[in-house]
Amino acid sequence: MPNEDEDTTMHWLNPSLKRGSEYRDNDDDGNEHKKLNFGGRDNLTQFTPISQTQKPKATHTSSDIGYSDVYKGPCSIWVKHSTPSDKPLNIYHIGKIVTNRYKSIIEIKKDGRSKGLILFQNRQEANASLKDDQFMAHGLCTFIPEFKKTRKGVLKGIPTDLKEAELTQDIICGTKVCQVTRINKKCKVPDKDEIQWIPTTSVLVYFEGDFLPKEISLFHVITKVSPYVKRTTQCLKCFKFAHIAKFCRGKQRCGICGDLQQTKDHECDGITPRCANCQGSHKSTSKDCPIFKKYELINMKMAYENLSYFEAKKLVFNKSSPVLTKEAFPEHSKRT
């Protein structure tokens, strides 16, 4: 379980999992059941906020060796250094390796500082690149991230006496259900220094492939699927976003005045707070910070459009793109 100094959220997934996530439960059976619709990759129009401490470790993949036949293409393959390295990855080196080896490559582009992405039109060629020794010979390796193999959605209003294995078997939809995890809520026991895990009526469902169904059928009850959206993480060392203190390479800052803390005895007046991210007149942990709100939007983009972190961040922070606001996610806008 993560240290509370690194993650202050109060609700978590099943603590028995090595890696878990949290969902802010807000069950209301009144809006959960409607006409079944399995077809089409329509844009998701509903949003349910979810917080993440650590990603649940799934016991499934769509294929350990590549994309299964549920993928019609294009298919993305990621490339990174085969051993940990601080050096940026040069995508031109990737292009030189694959030129004249594959015919269906659409594009090669960066995916952050240390990863590249090859977009294939042909699924067989994409899978073949996962076994290509030429990458290893150049100190690189190819892989498919888990978010491209499975999509995660949340079902609400599911009775707590229904077991995870039972749900995995009995959920019916146009996509294979790989795994179901009951979402538990972390609560403090009144007048005691103890933590209790309370099962909620929400479950996290892993669907095979990159398509998230809008609805499923469970015991002939039509139930809406909400996209899984990670909680925005913030480092309590440097107070930047998208990482935690355990993995921080930055310098310790004061969460109130935003200044670098030269000693453990650092003190500030606390009267005039200043954000370490936007320099605004609020604490660095304020949820009113415009930078915090942008990172919330990044997580929404990742969930709705099944994008990598780098792709979503580029869209949110790209000044030439249309301005993206929470109003683009109707259900979230209603709740905030």
Side-chain angles (χ1 to χ4, degrees), residues 156-173:
K156 298 189 293 182
I158 307 302
T160 56
D161 60 339
L162 295 179
K163 304 301 181 184
E164 296 170 349
E166 183 180 15
L167 293 170
T168 302
Q169 180 178 354
D170 291 324
I171 289 176
I172 299 174
C173 64

Side-chain angles (χ1 to χ4, degrees), residues 262-280:
Q262 303 299 327
T263 66
K264 294 182 179 179
D265 299 326
H266 167 81
E267 294 183 1
C268 65
D269 57 24
I271 300 174
T272 55
R274 186 183 63 181
C275 178
N277 292 294
C278 71
Q279 308 304 311

Side-chain angles (χ1 to χ4, degrees), residues 78-83 89 94 114-116 139-143:
W78 274 256
V79 185
K80 65 179 181 180
H81 293 290
S82 55
T83 57
L89 186 64
I94 299 174
S114 60
K115 294 190 289 291
L140 304 172
C141 65
T142 51
F143 68 101

Side-chain angles (χ1 to χ4, degrees), residues 233-243 253 276-277 279:
T233 55
Q234 184 175 23
C235 175
L236 297 184
K237 178 183 175 184
C238 71
F239 292 95
K240 301 297 183 181
F241 298 102
H243 70 275
R253 288 184 177 273
N277 292 294
Q279 308 304 311

